């Protein structure tokens, strides 16, 4: 009878130890994920705020000059590729009416009204202050940093998005032998 009690106690203790190990591992992974995403948020928000202050982008929207906007976004993308670990950023410029003006990754796709399925663009139009948000799109769930663009009189003329996927986070998890 004492043996049965000892075995039952031992099994109970082993179960508790396993639960504690799993709980610590889950908490550790959550911290890693949180830090990785927080870093991406900071980069995205700081970047989009800086880019939105480029008066050439605002002027391109005011003048309806897509070629100027394409050149500015291409230069920004080039600088990111050359100078940062962020090699595949996507920049999306929108008019004040939430119409796609230029997609850095697909210059020939523009003119579509995004208001029906992009709540972040409705929010930026109303709030006119930069923010960051997870939002689903055709490419899946991405991190979007969005900032308003203004003319010289501080009238809202459109918005700019700095879009980041989560591949770098997934690659880090894979490198550390964790399933993302």
């Amino acid at each position: 009878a004492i043996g049965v009690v000892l075995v039952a106690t031992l099994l109970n203790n082993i179960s508790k130890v396993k639960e504690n190990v799993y709980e610590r591992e889950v908490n550790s992974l959550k911290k890693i994920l949180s830090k990785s995403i927080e870093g991406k948020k900071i980069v995205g928000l700081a970047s989009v705020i800086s880019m939105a202050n480029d008066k050439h982008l605002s002027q391109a929207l005011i003048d309806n000059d897509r070629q100027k906007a394409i050149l500015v976004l291409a230069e920004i993308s080039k600088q990111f590729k050359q100078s940062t670990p962020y090699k595949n950023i996507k920049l999306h410029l929108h008019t004040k009416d939430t119409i796609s003006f230029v997609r850095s990754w697909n210059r020939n796709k523009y003119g579509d009204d995004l208001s029906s399925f992009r709540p972040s663009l409705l929010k930026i139009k109303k709030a006119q202050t930069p923010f960051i948000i997870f939002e689903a799109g055709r490419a899946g769930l991405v991190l979007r940093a969005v900032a308003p663009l203004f003319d010289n009189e501080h009238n809202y003329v459109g918005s700019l998005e700095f879009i980041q996927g989560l591949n770098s986070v997934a690659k880090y998890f894979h490198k550390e032998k964790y399933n993302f």
Side-chain angles (χ1 to χ4, degrees), residues 19-175:
E19 285 178 29
N20 288 338
V21 168
Y22 288 139
E23 189 174 325
R24 278 195 307 270
E25 187 68 16
V26 166
N27 288 335
S28 174
L29 291 173
K30 283 181 180 179
K31 283 180 186 175
I32 293 168
L33 180 60
S34 180
K35 283 182 181 180
S36 298
I37 290 174
E38 194 58 37
K40 290 180 86 66
K41 285 180 176 182
I42 291 167
V43 167
L45 196 55
S47 297
V48 80
I49 289 169
S50 176
M51 291 174 204
N53 284 312
D54 185 327
K55 292 301 175 191
H56 293 100
L57 287 176
S58 297
Q59 198 59 51
L61 284 170
I62 293 164
D63 298 340
N64 197 32
D65 187 344
R66 287 190 74 252
Q67 191 56 40
K68 179 190 273 186
I70 288 169
L71 291 173
V72 172
L73 294 181
E75 183 60 29
I76 292 169
S77 293
K78 178 180 153 192
Q79 291 297 322
F80 259 81
K81 278 185 180 177
Q82 290 176 346
S83 307
T84 75
Y86 301 92
K87 306 299 182 198
N88 296 310
I89 63 161
K90 292 181 178 180
L91 303 171
H92 194 177
L93 188 61
H94 323 97
T95 68
K96 65 182 177 183
D97 300 319
T98 66
I99 304 296
S100 174
F101 194 66
V102 175
R103 288 176 171 93
S104 67
W105 68 98
N106 188 351
R107 296 175 184 154
N108 296 322
K109 186 171 179 1
Y110 64 95
D112 43 325
D113 184 352
L114 306 170
S115 62
S116 66
F117 60 96
R118 294 290 312 286
S120 61
L121 298 183
L122 300 177
K123 178 180 176 180
I124 195 70
K125 184 177 177 179
K126 183 177 179 181
Q128 296 184 8
T129 186
F131 63 88
I132 193 145
I133 188 169
F134 276 105
E135 189 174 68
R138 297 191 197 283
L141 185 66
V142 293
L143 189 59
R144 300 175 190 271
V146 190
L149 287 101
F150 301 101
D151 64 14
N152 291 333
E153 285 80 44
H154 205 71
N155 297 307
Y156 178 74
V157 297
S159 60
L160 178 65
E161 249 180 322
F162 180 95
I163 305 166
Q164 299 178 81
L166 299 175
N167 284 346
S168 62
V169 177
K171 285 178 185 175
Y172 174 79
F173 269 67
H174 180 73
K175 185 181 104 182

